[in-house]
Amino acid sequence: MATVSPDASYHSYSGDPEADAANSPQGKEGVADYCRMIVESGLYRIEHKTERIVADRENIVEEGIIKMAYPGEILQFMGHEQAEPGKLYLYQNRLLIIWGFDKQGLVKYED
């Protein structure tokens, strides 16, 4: 968390306003809580195969395929009744992340 700005503002754009709000932490403490939730819920099994990176003085843009292993318990919580506890389910999609940095080099946003 040493690289996150106190004024960090993360944004998710899935098209689902409720999910976007839950996945868009605000402030350094909000980002810390969000990261803690990812680890504690078992959602930390993530692979992002970066295919392209573009950078300038204030931003890094990263694009590629993301794979996540979702625990069945989390999917049930999300409303997927067919998911079985104790099993992992693969999610795969194309992902583009924009990282913005402040003048001190701290992450101020992730979109």
Side-chain angles (χ1 to χ4, degrees), residues 38-72:
I38 288 173
V39 172
E40 291 174 355
S41 67
L43 287 169
Y44 57 84
R45 296 170 187 94
I46 302 170
E47 173 187 317
H48 189 193
K49 183 179 178 186
T50 301
E51 298 173 353
R52 182 179 358 212
I53 295 177
V54 178
D56 64 21
R57 293 179 189 265
E58 297 176 353
N59 303 280
I60 296 175
V61 178
E62 179 183 10
E63 178 187 13
I65 302 297
I66 188 169
K67 294 180 182 178
M68 295 177 65
Y70 272 83

Side-chain angles (χ1 to χ4, degrees), residues 1-104:
M1 294 305 305
T3 60
V4 177
S5 167
D7 302 318
S9 182
Y10 285 27
H11 300 97
S12 177
Y13 301 100
S14 71
D16 177 344
E18 188 174 319
D20 288 344
N23 291 297
S24 298
Q26 304 299 304
K28 187 172 186 167
E29 284 304 311
V31 172
D33 290 344
Y34 182 76
C35 291
R36 190 175 305 106
M37 179 277 301
I38 288 173
V39 172
E40 291 174 355
S41 67
L43 287 169
Y44 57 84
R45 296 170 187 94
I46 302 170
E47 173 187 317
H48 189 193
K49 183 179 178 186
T50 301
E51 298 173 353
R52 182 179 358 212
I53 295 177
V54 178
D56 64 21
R57 293 179 189 265
E58 297 176 353
N59 303 280
I60 296 175
V61 178
E62 179 183 10
E63 178 187 13
I65 302 297
I66 188 169
K67 294 180 182 178
M68 295 177 65
Y70 272 83
E73 296 84 353
I74 297 298
L75 290 174
Q76 283 185 337
F77 178 77
M78 294 169 64
H80 301 281
E81 296 174 7
Q82 71 279 11
E84 296 180 33
K87 292 193 175 184
L88 296 173
Y89 296 83
L90 177 64
Y91 167 81
Q92 179 174 314
N93 208 343
R94 186 160 218 48
L95 179 68
L96 182 125
I97 302 172
I98 303 170
W99 305 84
F101 299 87
D102 64 19
K103 296 204 183 296
Q104 290 75 40

